[in-house]
Amino acid sequence: MTGDGEGTALGLDLEAGIPEASPSAFATPTFSLWHGMAASNRKALEAPGLRIGSVLLAELRRRARIEIAALGVEYTEGLGVEFVPGGNGLLICTGHQPLLVHPGIWIKHLSLARLVPPDGSGVSVVVDSDASEEVVAEVPARDGRLRRHRVRLVGAEPEVPFELMAATSEEGWRRFVREVDDCLEGLGEEAIASAWSATRDAPPPTRAHGLSGAVTAARRRLEGRRPYVEVPVSWIARTSAFRTFVLSIVREAERFAGVHNAALSEYRLRHGIRTGAQPFPDLDVAGSLVEAPFWLIHGGVRTPLYVDLEDGRFWANGQELGNVPDDPDAPGLKAMAIRPRAVSLTAFLRLALADLFIHGVGGGRYDRATDAIIRRFFGIEPPAYSVATATLFLPFSSRTPDEGDLQRLRRLHLDLQHNPDRFLAEGEGWYRALTDEKWELIRRLEGAAEMTRRQRREVTGRIREINLELQPAVSERLQEAARELREAERRQAEAEAIDYRGYPFLLHPVESVEALVDALAAGDADAGAVRP
């Protein structure tokens, strides 16, 4: 086991981080260990005597899996996508916000699909409890030069969670498609246009489950039939198992806040983090009011949920909302739109639902702090989790220019400006006297330690004057170098659009990401970057 608050069993090598080369993928621990991790987690979490509050953990897991499996089937069928029904074997889980994600995130879902055993099941959690003011696709475009262009699918006001964001209309979707079309048509890159056609030529995704459903359906359509279901956080929050988990924390809100904040303080100190917002903010304790690690959807936005320790009541936005009940199925609690925040979401999923949770690098890092909270608050050794990510560039016909050549041209351009004498032929040209004078002045600067500041300014000023006087002799060379440098810098600027890992799944063929999963599955040496 690793130290308190620093990852889980088998060790996580997260310092290597996101691979720079393309195509490449990263997994830690090694992919071949994941099935064994899942089986080990399941056995440990179902051990007799483990409790979440007053409930046996094994019983909570049984209820959670039954409830969430049924909701997942219902939700996924509503998306109109094909899936393979799950069994009672190992349950593999991942999750992400309903965004137009890039392959480095998409690989989590495809790794999940690969890992689900024939008798097992998979769950992808749509984190619709998060908020974003817009959902956009970054696409390459050319208008004189290659650049990245943001095409907005939909926007919202601050703190409006995804679950309340309606899907764009059919005309809005077509407008989005046309704008992406316009960007790609000017590229002349057939491979990119071909991958986009799978989305472009398909009917608009379902609007039945709002924006979250539309984005999720668009991704699942590209994946084809897979052995896992989708279920949003807002649906998970309907379950009795989740409400049981909520009560286990809010009944001890003060102790949880103390454990939570102490674990974050240690995490920040250990990793040299100076901002209180990372990896997530502390919970507020203001007298008898204690902030719980949950949101309340209230008035069309999400707001922090508080517990009054003196009278055992919920509060949000300065309003009293009712008693904290003993029964997770109490009508008042069921009526409250309580949603987990980052730490409570992954703690619930890892303890009460999954046999193995697949994180990205960011989630893998912040869950080191979650591990410490699970140990100290619940008294349970946190289950091991895995991490997967990838870097996959679009298949442009041209790639990044030589960075060394760009640096050479920059040095050449500077030298022609500040050392023109280096480019003049030796001999008795008109510049010979000026060159000799310049080097004599340089020798004076280097050898005269007792020169006054004024004398040094006069000497360096005269050297600059000589450089300017010599420049006509290298003017053609300087102009040529400036042209070459501008062109190299233009190519380098375009390279930032070419070698960019953040283009959305809509522009990538699923087979390209599958190849990276193949590489992870075959790379059974040490955890780290592998390439197909």
Side-chain angles (χ1 to χ4, degrees):
M1 298 293 180
T2 55
D4 189 29
E6 281 302 304
T8 47
L10 299 178
L12 291 179
D13 174 19
L14 293 175
E15 305 315 313
I18 297 167
E20 295 183 3
S22 171
S24 58
F26 173 84
T28 183
T30 304
F31 192 90
S32 62
L33 299 176
W34 291 9
H35 266 138
M37 291 165 59
S40 178
N41 285 342
R42 183 170 189 170
K43 181 179 179 180
L45 292 170
E46 295 179 358
L50 296 182
R51 291 182 176 274
I52 295 290
S54 61
V55 178
L56 287 172
L57 178 56
E59 172 59 19
L60 181 68
R61 284 172 59 82
R62 185 191 67 80
R63 285 164 42 197
R65 290 163 83 120
I66 291 172
E67 291 181 292
I68 293 171
L71 292 175
V73 169
E74 179 185 348
Y75 185 82
T76 310
E77 287 179 342
L79 297 180
V81 299
E82 295 186 7
F83 65 97
V84 180
N88 294 321
L90 294 176
L91 190 155
I92 316 299
C93 189
T94 192
H96 204 77
Q97 297 89 345
L99 299 168
L100 300 173
V101 299
H102 57 77
I105 295 169
W106 196 8
I107 197 172
K108 294 192 302 181
H109 298 87
L110 297 176
S111 296
L112 160 67
R114 180 71 61 87
L115 203 65
V116 173
D119 65 338
S121 58
V123 174
S124 167
V125 176
V126 183
V127 187
D128 63 347
S129 50
D130 274 3
S132 177
E133 294 183 28
E134 60 179 1
V135 174
V136 301
E138 285 200 87
V139 298
R142 187 180 295 280
D143 55 0
R145 67 176 181 86
L146 189 66
R147 61 185 178 85
R148 301 200 310 261
H149 178 70
R150 291 166 61 85
V151 181
R152 191 167 84 156
L153 177 62
V154 69
E157 294 299 316
E159 292 305 319
V160 173
F162 287 108
E163 67 178 275
L164 298 183
M165 295 172 68
T168 185
S169 65
E170 183 171 338
E171 176 51 35
W173 173 260
R174 290 302 179 198
R175 184 166 53 249
F176 170 81
V177 168
R178 285 195 299 270
E179 189 171 349
V180 176
D181 272 346
D182 290 343
C183 292
L184 298 185
E185 284 174 3
L187 292 179
E189 298 284 349
E190 290 300 320
I192 299 172
S194 175
W196 161 245
S197 65
T199 296
R200 179 188 185 278
D201 299 335
T206 178
R207 301 185 67 231
H209 292 315
L211 172 73
S212 300
V215 171
T216 303
R219 172 175 56 79
R220 290 298 297 263
R221 258 187 342 204
L222 297 179
E223 294 180 14
R225 192 168 185 260
R226 301 280 171 167
Y228 72 95
V229 296
E230 306 280 347
V231 60
V233 168
S234 59
W235 287 40
I236 290 175
R238 300 177 187 175
T239 65
S240 177
F242 177 74
R243 292 191 298 272
T244 298
F245 181 79
V246 170
L247 290 179
S248 74
I249 292 175
V250 299
R251 286 175 185 148
E252 296 189 81
E254 186 174 28
R255 185 169 76 86
F256 186 92
V259 168
H260 177 279
N261 294 350
L264 291 186
S265 177
E266 293 165 11
Y267 179 90
R268 293 178 190 127
L269 180 64
R270 184 177 292 114
H271 296 283
I273 298 171
R274 296 185 178 181
T275 172
Q278 297 297 328
F280 25 79
D282 287 350
L283 294 175
D284 180 34
V285 179
S288 65
L289 279 179
V290 178
E291 186 180 8
F294 301 100
W295 299 111
L296 181 72
I297 309 301
H298 185 71
V301 296
R302 61 180 195 169
T303 187
L305 181 68
Y306 283 78
V307 180
D308 190 324
L309 301 177
E310 289 184 353
D311 59 12
R313 297 178 73 81
F314 288 115
W315 286 75
N317 277 340
Q319 298 179 26
E320 187 179 305
L321 302 173
N323 290 327
V324 176
D326 293 327
D327 182 2
D329 295 321
L333 184 62
K334 292 174 73 174
M336 293 177 65
I338 297 175
R339 305 290 183 261
R341 290 159 76 165
V343 65
S344 53
L345 175 59
T346 56
F348 175 76
L349 295 175
R350 290 172 57 201
L351 290 173
L353 179 66
D355 294 320
L356 179 70
F357 192 89
I358 304 172
H359 266 304
V361 171
R365 287 174 175 160
Y366 83 63
D367 248 15
R368 291 166 165 174
T370 307
D371 281 353
I373 295 168
I374 290 173
R375 284 190 184 98
R376 298 175 190 179
F377 183 78
F378 294 110
I380 296 172
E381 182 63 21
Y385 59 90
S386 60
V387 170
T389 190
T391 293
L392 183 64
F393 301 150
L394 290 176
F396 282 95
S397 53
S398 62
R399 298 242 55 92
T400 308
D402 182 2
E403 177 67 21
D405 187 52
L406 178 61
Q407 296 303 321
R408 179 187 63 80
L409 287 169
R410 285 174 174 162
R411 287 194 300 270
L412 173 62
H413 190 255
L414 284 172
D415 265 355
L416 284 164
Q417 291 177 296
H418 301 293
N419 298 294
D421 49 293
R422 295 180 182 177
F423 302 90
L424 298 174
E426 295 183 6
E428 295 298 329
W430 62 268
Y431 45 79
R432 179 61 182 271
L434 289 172
T435 300
D436 289 346
E437 182 185 355
K438 174 181 174 178
W439 283 101
E440 176 59 30
L441 292 170
I442 291 171
R443 284 190 289 272
R444 284 181 59 191
L445 285 175
E446 293 174 346
E450 297 182 1
M451 289 179 70
T452 66
R453 183 177 299 177
R454 178 179 178 182
Q455 289 172 327
R456 296 183 72 86
R457 281 201 306 267
E458 290 175 349
V459 170
T460 55
R462 177 53 187 159
I463 290 173
R464 284 195 293 269
E465 291 174 358
I466 292 172
N467 285 335
L468 289 173
E469 292 178 47
L470 289 174
Q471 279 191 8
V474 295
S475 60
E476 291 186 6
R477 184 74 184 277
L478 180 61
Q479 292 173 14
E480 178 186 358
R483 285 194 299 270
E484 290 179 354
L485 179 59
R486 284 195 298 271
E487 177 60 22
E489 288 177 336
R490 182 193 65 79
R491 293 196 306 271
Q492 185 64 31
E494 290 196 349
E496 294 178 7
I498 292 173
D499 291 347
Y500 176 62
R501 71 186 294 268
Y503 291 122
F505 66 84
L506 301 171
L507 305 184
H508 292 271
V510 66
E511 294 81 9
S512 296
V513 187
E514 285 277 23
L516 292 171
V517 180
D518 290 341
L520 290 179
D524 55 357
D526 295 332
V530 294
R531 301 184 66 179

